[in-house]
Amino acid sequence: MSVIHIQGMQSLNGTILIQGSKNAVLPVMAASLLHRGVTVLTNVPGIQDVFCMMGILESMGCCCRLDGRCLTIDASRADRPRVPEGLAGQMRSSVMLLGPMLGRFGEGATSHPGGCLIGSRPIDLHLSGLEALGAKVELAGGTVRVEAGPGGLTGREIALGYPSVGATENIVMAAAAARGTTVLIGAAREPEIETLCRFLQAAGAEIRGIGTGCLRITGCARFRDTVFAIPGDRIVAGTYLGAVMAAGGSVFLKGAPAGHMEANLRLAREMGAGIRIREDGGGIDASMDGRAKAASFSTGPYPGFPTDLQSVMMAVAAAGVGRSRIQETVFENRFSTAKELQNLGAHIIIDGRTALVDGRSPLRGGKVRAADLRGGAALVVAGLAAAGEVEVSGCGHIRRGYEDICRDLKEAGARIWMEEGAACEGRGGES
């Protein structure tokens, strides 16, 4: 079993290079299936979820080659519109292939997606949106099947009752291959949606309203070869910002997408962090002197504070001073990390979807287990502020979204290492 060891109370100093975005690259990889040709993606992170998506695409007949951070996908011979059950269970992101499969093959099937244990995440908005475009949906035996009618997919106006990121991605990808124009009202506004739309534009689709809650997508009969760069990962950057706030010190987060981190940076400043955005767009200088101050915040859809960073900031608050109040409005079980933080001496009271975090004495060493991707990263952040050694098991979850969290933090001076001989491989869902 893989275990990360952290000797805390060591300030961070230096530079951390921010990897390409996990939540941006996965839907772009899925969208590459729409094109009967070659897609080249640069700045691709070498993470478990990318390897899993490559396996899914290859199972459909695509040829995928990852050379460093450059991924080439040749979908010219793709001919199998089904996600294998084993791969679907490893990654919730597999559900986003329903839209591209419909657009490419007129049909598709996948097992009901897996996922981290952070709450219920129904896919009804995905399916109702695809139905609105003319698809027939069948749920049977844990399998989701979709099939376009005789006339294929047809654009129309669709209104989402909630700005679901996954549903927005699925609808946009299907609409990009549909006849006519689709108007999507109430679309999610996350930066990853913008990235997907920019990629589809580059491949030949016409999309207006990018970055807003109303997208107008005109379908493309034939897509073209594309070379496209994946932006930096705002969640990884936010995690390492949290690491600086927990451990203290000064770190340059090279490649951090500051323009997509406003809520995160605003909270960091409120809690006492020094933040300087470099004018050349090269990244963020983050510093912390002393323990973090208390703050109150709520998670929410973009441009609100990202739920993916809630557990990280809970760890920072637990290692800080004063009482913080955190409200989780997206996933009801995002507070599962609180119990593990309590094993390190954190004072946390959970009341429904609200957590009261009372920063008192510094955190202490102990053994904890990661149950999901972002919760695992939060436990590593907590370990940086702990007096004594912290052991984090279940680090396979972390490997799904972070290329090498030990390497990155060690380069900034952290005393952190992977247990000798342990491999960091994991299964789980999108987060």
Side-chain angles (χ1 to χ4, degrees):
M1 181 175 63
S2 54
V3 178
I4 291 176
H5 298 260
I6 308 117
Q7 287 283 352
M9 309 298 284
Q10 176 70 40
S11 63
L12 303 181
N13 291 279
T15 297
I16 296 178
L17 176 64
I18 304 303
Q19 67 191 51
S21 171
K22 163 191 176 292
N23 291 340
V25 72
L26 296 177
V28 170
M29 290 175 68
S32 71
L33 188 63
L34 292 168
H35 174 45
R36 300 174 185 272
V38 177
T39 297
V40 178
L41 306 178
T42 61
N43 197 34
V44 172
I47 56 176
Q48 191 65 31
D49 274 11
V50 165
F51 303 144
C52 184
M53 183 63 86
M54 288 172 63
I56 291 173
L57 292 174
E58 288 172 341
S59 76
M60 294 182 179
C62 298
C63 179
C64 301
R65 185 179 74 254
L66 183 62
D67 183 9
R69 295 179 181 272
C70 181
L71 174 62
T72 301
I73 302 171
D74 183 349
S76 60
R77 297 184 180 181
D79 59 358
R80 297 185 289 276
R82 183 181 182 90
V83 179
E85 182 177 353
L87 292 174
Q90 290 183 36
M91 186 176 65
R92 183 178 175 85
S93 302
S94 61
V95 74
M96 72 175 62
L97 283 151
L98 289 174
M101 284 191 290
L102 270 173
R104 172 70 180 269
F105 307 110
E107 62 177 322
T110 182
S111 301
H112 200 281
C116 286
L117 302 177
I118 58 175
S120 62
R121 297 195 280 190
I123 60 172
D124 55 310
L125 291 177
H126 297 242
L127 302 183
S128 62
L130 297 178
E131 285 180 318
L133 294 173
K136 178 182 177 182
V137 175
E138 178 184 347
L139 303 174
T143 298
V144 183
R145 301 178 188 277
V146 291
E147 183 178 354
L153 302 178
T154 303
R156 60 165 294 178
E157 183 175 299
I158 301 172
L160 288 178
Y162 179 84
S164 162
V165 173
T168 298
E169 291 169 342
N170 241 330
I171 294 168
V172 166
M173 287 187 281
R179 294 195 320 274
T181 298
T182 297
V183 178
L184 181 57
I185 301 169
R189 298 170 53 194
E190 270 71 7
E192 295 77 23
I193 301 293
E194 178 179 344
T195 299
L196 174 62
C197 290
R198 298 294 183 197
F199 168 74
L200 289 170
Q201 274 189 328
E206 180 182 328
I207 304 179
R208 298 181 181 179
I210 296 176
T212 74
C214 183
L215 297 172
R216 187 179 184 90
I217 307 110
T218 300
C220 177
R222 186 177 182 84
F223 295 89
R224 55 178 172 258
D225 288 357
T226 307
V227 178
F228 188 82
I230 302 300
D233 195 313
R234 64 191 176 103
I235 305 302
V236 170
T239 300
Y240 293 152
L241 170 57
V244 177
M245 295 174 67
S250 178
V251 172
F252 173 45
L253 303 174
K254 186 176 181 180
H260 292 155
M261 297 174 62
E262 291 183 1
N264 188 189
L265 298 181
R266 185 164 55 248
L267 177 62
R269 288 188 175 104
E270 183 181 346
M271 297 180 76
I275 302 293
R276 185 175 74 89
I277 301 171
R278 297 206 177 181
E279 294 182 358
D280 61 1
I284 300 169
D285 290 296
S287 62
M288 192 75 183
D289 184 12
R291 295 166 65 187
K293 302 175 185 176
S296 296
F297 68 94
S298 298
T299 64
Y302 189 84
F305 189 85
T307 182
D308 281 355
L309 287 173
Q310 179 260 102
S311 55
V312 170
M313 296 312 293
M314 176 184 284
V316 172
V321 292
R323 173 167 285 195
S324 296
R325 184 176 187 274
I326 304 172
Q327 186 174 15
E328 175 57 58
T329 71
V330 181
F331 294 128
E332 66 272 19
N333 290 339
R334 274 286 194 194
F335 288 147
S336 60
T337 304
K339 183 177 180 180
E340 297 300 313
L341 290 172
Q342 288 169 338
N343 291 334
L344 301 180
H347 298 272
I348 304 172
I349 299 173
I350 304 298
D351 182 11
R353 290 199 170 200
T354 300
L356 297 177
V357 186
D358 195 355
R360 299 181 187 177
S361 56
L363 300 179
R364 60 172 181 265
K367 296 182 179 182
V368 291
R369 181 171 180 80
D372 60 81
L373 167 57
R374 305 306 176 184
L379 294 175
V380 172
V381 168
L384 296 172
E389 183 174 316
V390 171
E391 296 182 12
V392 182
S393 60
C395 81
H397 290 294
I398 302 173
R399 186 68 181 88
R400 287 185 39 248
Y402 297 80
E403 284 188 337
D404 192 334
I405 198 169
C406 295
R407 175 202 66 197
D408 292 344
L409 292 172
K410 188 174 182 179
E411 287 181 354
R415 291 176 291 190
I416 182 172
W417 68 96
M418 181 72 66
E419 185 175 334
E420 184 69 26
C424 205
E425 298 177 356
R427 300 174 183 268
E430 178 187 10
S431 175

